[in-house]
Amino acid sequence: MRVRFERAGRVVWAHLDRPKVLNALDTALMEELVGTLKPLDEDPEVGCFVITGSERAFAAGADISEMADKTVSDMVSEDYFGGWEAFAALRTPKVAAVSGFALGGGCELAMMCDLVIAADTAKFGQPEITLGVIPGIGGTQRLTRLVGKAKAMDLILTGRLIDAVEAERIGLISRAVPADTLLAEVTEAATRIAGYGKIAAMAARDCVDRALETGLADGIRYERRVFHSLFATADQKEGMRAFLDKRKPSFEGR
Ligand code: CO8
C-alpha cells in the first residue's frame, strides 16, 4: 500500500505513504490513488478529497529510481505518467495539504488540486532541470498559467526551491499557514466545501479550470450556461429558499 485512505464524514483523505523515498510518485502509487478515488468521485456522499503527505514531504517528485533506466520506447509505449490526467479530471473538489517538500511531480500534483494549503515551512520547486529533463506532468503548462511566464521560467530554468510564503505571493498556492495549524485549516476548508451541494461545487471548479483553457468571451458564455443549468437542481431551490426563509440550507447534491 502506497496510499492510506481515511474517511471523515463527507471528506476522503488520501495520505501518500512512501516515507523512505519522501513519497516519490511511482506508477503503482498513481494507480492506487486514481483507482481508489475514481469510484468515490461519483459518490454523492463524498464532497471533498484531501491529498496529503508527511510532515517532511508532500512528495519529492516522480520516482527517479523507477524512471532512470527507461528508454524512450518504454516512455512512449507506457505513455508514462499519462494516467495523472485521470487524477486532474476528478470532479470532486481536491485540496492539497502540503507540508515539507512538494517538488517536481509533487508540485505538479499540488497544482492538479483545486486548493493548495501549505505549512509555512513547505518548499515548492520544479528541479527537473537538475536531472537533465523538464517537468512532465503539466509543470510547464499549469505553472505558467498560475504564476505567469516570468516566475515559471525562474523556477523551471533555475530549479530553485521557494518557500510557501513566496508560493502564496506568486499565486502558486491558495494559503500558507503556520505549520501547527495546517491540519485544522485543511479540515475546516475541506469540511466546509464538502457541506455545499456537490453539483454546484463540481460546476464551480469546472468553470474556474475552464478559465485556464479558454478565451474570456467563451469562458463567460460557458459560465453563464453552467449557471443557468444549476436551476435544474434541488440544491439551487433549497439554497435560495433557505436564504429567504433565514435558515441554514440542507443540500442533497442533486
Ligand atoms: N525519487 C526517488 N527517490 C527519492 C526522490 C525521488 N524523487 N526524492 C528523494 N528520494 C529518496 C532519496 O534517494 C533518499 O533515499 P535513500 O535514503 O535510500 O538514499 C530518500 O528519499 C531521502 O532523500 P534525501 O536523503 O535526498 O533527503 P534530503 O533531506 O537530503 O533531501 C530532497 C531532500 C532535497 C527532496 C532530495 O531528496 C531531492 O532533491 N530529491 C529529488 C527531488 C527532485 O529532483 N524531484 C524531481 C523528480 S523528477 C520529476 O518529478 C519529473 C516529473 C515528471 C515525470 C513525467 C513523465 C512523463
Side-chain angles (χ1 to χ4, degrees):
M1 292 284 283
R2 287 161 152 76
V3 188
R4 279 184 297 109
F5 295 93
E6 187 191 352
R7 178 90 180 247
R10 291 175 53 77
V11 179
V12 171
W13 287 70
H15 300 264
L16 309 184
D17 194 18
R18 300 187 73 204
K20 289 193 178 134
V21 289
L22 306 185
N23 293 331
L25 307 170
D26 65 358
T27 304
L29 182 149
M30 174 184 76
E31 289 175 351
E32 213 175 296
L33 183 66
V34 177
T36 304
L37 295 186
K38 183 83 186 90
L40 295 170
D41 198 35
E42 288 152 29
D43 183 343
E45 298 304 319
V46 174
C48 190
F49 297 141
V50 177
I51 317 300
T52 193
S54 65
E55 199 178 328
R56 190 165 169 220
F58 176 71
D63 190 326
I64 299 167
S65 46
E66 181 178 81
M67 284 185 295
D69 294 328
K70 283 195 189 289
T71 64
V72 68
S73 46
D74 294 333
M75 295 302 253
V76 172
S77 60
E78 292 170 30
D79 189 20
Y80 190 68
F81 273 3
W84 280 112
E85 282 311 303
F87 175 83
L90 294 169
R91 295 170 310 152
T92 304
K94 303 183 281 293
V95 178
V98 177
S99 186
F101 296 109
L103 307 182
C107 187
E108 292 169 307
L109 174 59
M111 287 190 283
M112 281 187 259
C113 294
D114 302 311
L115 258 77
V116 183
I117 303 181
D120 51 8
T121 48
K123 296 266 188 250
F124 293 81
Q126 296 289 164
E128 289 88 345
I129 193 95
T130 67
L131 301 168
V133 290
I134 64 170
I137 324 174
T140 63
Q141 303 303 300
R142 287 197 179 90
L143 184 64
T144 308
R145 283 167 169 76
L146 294 181
V147 305
K149 174 180 166 179
K151 280 291 176 189
M153 287 291 192
D154 181 4
L155 293 177
I156 291 168
L157 285 176
T158 68
R160 78 183 175 94
L161 308 192
I162 58 171
D163 62 27
V165 174
E166 182 172 356
E168 181 182 358
R169 182 164 52 75
I170 67 176
L172 170 56
I173 67 170
S174 319
R175 306 181 202 169
V177 301
D180 59 356
T181 68
L182 179 67
L183 183 64
E185 289 258 359
V186 170
T187 302
E188 195 278 331
T191 308
R192 179 191 284 246
I193 292 167
Y196 297 129
K198 186 167 181 178
I199 293 180
M202 290 193 306
R205 59 168 302 285
D206 178 38
C207 286
V208 173
D209 269 353
R210 182 58 74 107
L212 298 178
E213 292 169 15
T214 194
L216 183 62
D218 283 343
I220 299 255
R221 198 172 305 116
Y222 184 75
E223 177 196 72
R224 194 161 63 246
R225 294 291 172 245
V226 174
F227 186 89
H228 292 163
S229 73
L230 292 172
F231 283 71
T233 66
D235 285 344
Q236 174 269 324
K237 299 285 174 280
E238 167 63 9
M240 293 194 178
R241 179 48 55 202
F243 177 82
L244 295 173
D245 293 348
K246 302 190 186 308
R247 62 175 170 82
K248 248 180 100 111
S250 170
F251 294 118
E252 293 176 18
R254 61 183 184 90

